Amino acid sequence: MTRQELISYCLTMPDTYEDYPFHDVNWTVIRCKQNNKIFAWIFERQEHIWINLKVNPEWRDFWRNSFSSILPAYHLNKEHWNSVIMDGSVPEETVKQLIGESYDLVKPRRRKTK
């Protein structure tokens, strides 16, 4: 997936928007509108597009052990975030799954009514 394809796919998640918090076009973040939480950091590094995604710590090591292009997150908490290097070695469907899981971890929770 290209940078634009990643951004476009992330924006298919409900109530999300694209942001450039560092005023640097290399760093695109995708946030949830209601709580402004980031679920995807998209940037170029070492001649590849990277995407940092939030991960459930119970699955963090599974993904890192399954693909050499999934690493502890660049510039983020390594317990809760993974970096995916978009070098073609991680299948597109897996990347989409990881984006969806990241979104699910940060999206606003509905309060239970009594």
Side-chain angles (χ1 to χ4, degrees):
M1 297 177 80
T2 66
R3 177 190 199 101
Q4 191 54 52
E5 288 170 333
L6 286 170
I7 292 169
S8 295
Y9 184 76
C10 288
L11 292 173
T12 66
M13 302 294 136
D15 298 318
T16 57
Y17 69 99
E18 181 177 349
D19 191 15
Y20 295 85
F22 307 120
H23 307 287
D24 177 351
V25 294
N26 186 46
W27 286 91
T28 305
V29 298
I30 310 298
R31 299 178 184 262
C32 295
K33 286 181 183 175
Q34 280 188 305
N35 61 14
N36 291 323
K37 289 187 178 180
I38 298 170
F39 68 93
W41 302 72
I42 302 166
F43 55 99
E44 186 173 343
R45 181 168 191 264
Q46 299 173 337
E47 300 180 19
H48 289 290
I49 298 299
W50 292 43
I51 183 169
N52 287 349
L53 298 166
K54 190 146 191 170
V55 63
N56 183 324
E58 293 177 14
W59 285 94
R60 174 195 63 225
D61 294 330
F62 169 80
W63 292 114
R64 291 177 189 175
N65 292 328
S66 297
F67 297 97
S68 61
S69 292
I70 298 181
L71 309 168
Y74 177 71
H75 272 314
L76 294 176
N77 181 317
K78 279 119 179 74
E79 181 178 346
H80 296 281
W81 292 84
N82 278 339
S83 285
V84 181
I85 304 170
M86 301 301 296
D87 62 3
S89 65
V90 180
E92 184 174 323
E93 287 307 312
T94 301
V95 174
K96 288 179 176 180
Q97 176 185 346
L98 293 170
I99 290 169
E101 290 173 5
S102 182
Y103 171 79
D104 287 342
L105 288 168
V106 304
K107 72 181 179 184
R109 303 284 179 238
R110 290 183 180 227
R111 293 185 179 186
K112 294 181 181 178
T113 56
K114 293 182 180 183

